[in-house]
Amino acid sequence: MRSVFRAILPVGVTLALAVGLALSTVAPVLAQNAPPRIVIGSGVIEPMPIAIAGFIDEGGAGDYAREISRVVQSDLEGTGLFRAIPEDAHISRVTSFDSTVAYEDWKAINAQVLVTGAVSVSGDRITVKFRAHDVFNGTTLEGAALQFAGTTQGWRRMAHKVADVVYSKITGEGGYFDSRVVFVSESGPKNERLKRLAVMDYDGANVQYLTDSASIVLAPRFSPTGDRILYTSYESGFPRITLMDVGSLDRRSLDEQPGTMTFAPRFSPDGGTVVFSLARGGNTDIYALNLSSGGLSQLTNAPSIETAPSFSPDGSQIVFESDRTGTPQIYVMPASGGEGQRISGGQGRYGTPVWSPRGDLIAFTKQNAGRFHIGVMRTDGSEERLLTASFLDEGPTWAPNGRVLMFTRETSGAGGQASLWSVDITGRNLKQIPTEGPASDPAWSPLLP
Amino acid sequence: MSFAVKSLLLVATLGLAACNNPDRYGAGGAGGAGGIGGAGGIDTTGLGDPNNPASIAYFNQRVGDRVLFAVDQSTLTPEGRQVLAGQAQWLMTNAGYAAIIEGHADEQGTREYNLALGERRAAAVQNFLISQGVTASRLRTISYGKERPLEVCSEEACYAKNRRAVTVLAAGAGV
C-alpha cells in the first residue's frame, strides 16, 4: 500500500547567513543602560514592550514583507514574554532599512527593543534582512543584524529565524520558532477514531499529511536531524515500529518478529539507535536496535511493564517508566541497560518521561486523584513541578531549547476530543496550538538548520 | 452474559486491515484497524445461528467472547475463568478456528502504558486457554491500549467495560 501523498515538505531551503551587515551609523551612546534582558524562570514576568516596524519592501516583496513582520510578531508575542506595541502607536515610520533610527521616537513609546527589516523577492528567491535594536542604548543588539536568503516557499521559516535571533538575544536561550512538530491528526467517533500522521510548523501552520488514516498510527518521534520519523503503526494488523523518511515518505517496519508487538520508539541523540518497548507473552521490556547493524539488545529484564524510554542528550542514560512497584513510576538506567534507579517519589502514577534537550530536566505525565498533569523534575527526581492539570493531559515533548513543552489534552465523555497545547517550564503561557481538527501525540523537531 | 452483545449479522472487514490479520468474525472486536481511508475488497461471512453450538454467534453470545479486568490488573476474575473455560472447550471442539485475543484498557492511563497493559491482559487470556488445552499456535494476541474503547463515557461504568480482553475468532486452524 503506497501512500498517495507526495513529498511536499520544503526541500532544499538554503538559508544563507550573512553575519555583520554594514551597520548604519548610530547616535553616540550618552548613558549606558543595561541591555534588554528577560530571564526565563525568574518569577512573574511583565511582558517586555517591543516594536516591530513593518518590514520594508526593497523590491518585489509584495505581501511577503507584511506577512513576515506579522509572523515575527506572532512568534515573539506567542512566548508570553513580549508585548508588541501596535503599529498605529508608532511615532516613527522606518522608510529605509539603512537610514538612521530615530531612537527617541521609540523611547517615547517605551519600546525596549525595535525590530526593523526589509524583504526583496526576485523570481522564487527571497531575501530577508533585519536588525534588532536596543532602543534605550541606541545600538543594534550584538549579532542581531542578519540576512537570510532562500526560496519564497520558505518565507515563514525566515520569519521564524528572525524571531529566533531576537528571542535568543534577549533571553539568552536558544530559539525554537524555526521548527516542525509531527503529530497524529484525528477524526471520527471516540470508539473508532481515525488517525493519520501529520507535520506542521511549531505554530500550527503549513500542515502536511504523511499517511492516510487506513491504520492506527501512534506517537511519532523525530530523529535528531529531523529527517526521519519513528512511529507505531497497525498497518500490518499488529502494532509495529515504523521508520519513515520525511523527504520521500518511504517507510519500513523495524521489527517483524511474530508474536511480539513493538511501540514507544525513540532515537538516540546520534540517531543511530532506536530504543523501544517490545511486548511478548504478557511482558513488556525495553530494547535497543542499532539501525546500521540491525543488532538488537535487551536493556531491561523484569516481569513488570517497562516502557516509554528516552535518552539523555549525551546518550549515556535512559529514563523510562516501570510498574515494578505496582504503579507506574520513573526510573533512570545506563544506556547499556540495567535495573535503573527510581527517581519519581510523589503521590500518583508517573509516565512518559522525556529528557530535556538541555539535560537539566525530565518532563512527565502524572496521574493523581483523578486528574492528569504535565510536570517537570530534575534528573534526580527533585524539585517536581506540575505545570498543568486537566481531565487528561499526556505525552509532553520538548521545544528544541528545552524551555517550552507541547502535549496532548483530551476532554472527557462521549464527545471527548484531543488537542495540542503548549506551556513553558514555569507553568506560564498555557495555550492551545491551532490545528484543523482534533490532534494528539505531538513531537517537536530539532531547530531546523 | 451480563452485558449486551451486538447482534451483528455481518462483519465487514476492510481488506487493508486484514492484509496480515486472518479474517475476523468477532462481534465485540476493536472494529478493525481499517477505516474510511482503506481500500480493497470486503469479506462477508455469516455468523450463523446462535442456537447452533458450532456457530460464531454461539461463541460470541452464549459462550461469551470477552472477560473484564480491574483497574491496572491483568489477573483473571473467577467469572472470567469460567468464561474462558467455556471458550477453551469451544475451541477444542471446533478445530477449524483460530483466535486473536485483543487486549484493551480504559482511558485512564498513558498511551504507552495502556498498550503494554492491554498486551498483558491478552496474554493472561492466551495463557489460560493454553492451560486448558488449546494449542498455542491457534492463538495470537494484540493490544489496542486505549485506542478502541467499547463504551465512550468517562465514568467507571464505561471504564469497567473497556478494560477487557476479547477473543475474536478467525478462519483457519492457526494464526
Side-chain angles (χ1 to χ4, degrees), chain A residues 1-227:
Chain A
M1 185 200 85
R2 284 303 307 146
S3 167
V4 296
F5 297 95
R6 305 272 185 277
I8 48 171
L9 294 179
V11 175
V13 177
T14 53
L15 292 163
L17 217 68
V19 184
L21 286 176
L23 297 182
S24 57
T25 316
V26 293
V29 177
L30 300 177
Q32 192 66 31
N33 297 298
R37 183 83 170 167
I38 295 171
V39 179
I40 296 176
S42 60
V44 178
I45 290 173
E46 189 67 26
M48 177 185 281
I50 60 172
I52 295 162
F55 281 29
I56 293 156
D57 179 354
E58 285 195 339
D63 287 345
Y64 286 117
R66 189 176 59 251
E67 287 300 298
I68 286 170
S69 336
R70 186 185 58 75
V71 172
V72 171
Q73 176 171 332
S74 165
D75 283 346
L76 292 172
E77 285 199 308
T79 64
L81 303 174
F82 301 93
R83 177 176 61 80
I85 298 164
E87 202 162 357
D88 56 16
H90 296 182
I91 298 168
S92 251
R93 293 265 174 253
V94 177
T95 52
S96 157
F97 184 65
D98 289 320
S99 64
T100 306
V101 172
Y103 286 113
E104 291 303 324
D105 287 349
W106 300 102
K107 253 189 234 179
I109 60 171
N110 196 32
Q112 306 285 302
V113 174
L114 166 70
V115 180
T116 58
V119 181
S120 61
V121 171
S122 171
D124 70 343
R125 302 289 297 172
I126 185 167
T127 303
V128 179
K129 51 190 181 178
F130 79 99
R131 290 192 189 95
H133 306 262
D134 171 351
V135 170
F136 281 78
N137 284 313
T139 58
T140 301
L141 286 170
E142 198 183 333
L146 298 173
Q147 173 176 306
F148 304 113
T151 64
T152 49
Q153 193 186 22
W155 71 268
R156 289 189 99 259
R157 289 198 52 199
M158 292 182 207
H160 290 321
K161 283 201 174 293
V162 170
D164 272 329
V165 172
V166 175
Y167 172 91
S168 288
K169 292 298 165 194
I170 292 166
T171 62
E173 309 281 351
Y176 65 93
F177 308 124
D178 185 24
S179 61
R180 304 272 280 166
V181 171
V182 62
F183 65 101
V184 173
S185 171
E186 301 192 355
S187 60
K190 189 172 177 176
N191 57 355
E192 207 164 342
R193 204 75 96 195
L194 296 177
K195 298 195 169 197
R196 62 198 300 207
L197 282 192
V199 63
M200 63 183 188
D201 291 359
Y202 94 100
D203 56 2
N206 280 334
V207 175
Q208 289 144 20
Y209 294 96
L210 305 178
T211 67
D212 60 25
S213 51
S215 321
I216 298 174
V217 289
L218 303 173
R221 311 290 181 209
F222 268 115
S223 68
T225 47
D227 57 342

Side-chain angles (χ1 to χ4, degrees), chain A residues 377-433:
Chain A
M377 56 174 66
R378 303 200 65 81
T379 59
D380 62 1
S382 64
E383 294 178 42
E384 173 180 318
R385 293 199 308 274
L386 299 183
L387 308 177
T388 73
S390 90
F391 167 72
L392 206 175
D393 287 348
E394 74 168 298
T397 179
W398 288 97
N401 70 352
R403 285 297 173 256
V404 179
L405 291 161
M406 199 180 289
F407 59 96
T408 306
R409 170 165 288 183
E410 196 155 342
T411 52
S412 70
Q417 290 194 324
S419 52
L420 306 184
W421 290 69
S422 69
V423 66
D424 73 27
I425 57 161
T426 63
R428 284 193 298 267
N429 205 31
L430 175 70
K431 58 179 183 177
Q432 187 176 348
I433 310 299

Side-chain angles (χ1 to χ4, degrees), chain A residues 190 367 370 372 391-392 411-413, chain B residues 68-71 104-109 121 149-164:
Chain A
K190 189 172 177 176
Q367 192 184 350
F372 278 78
F391 167 72
L392 206 175
T411 52
S412 70
Chain B
L68 304 180
F69 296 89
V71 175
H104 298 267
D106 66 32
E107 67 189 348
Q108 305 173 95
R121 287 173 174 160
L150 199 60
E151 302 291 337
V152 293
C153 78
S154 294
E155 291 152 29
E156 175 54 24
C158 287
Y159 295 160
K161 291 178 183 170
N162 290 335
R163 294 188 297 264
R164 69 200 192 277

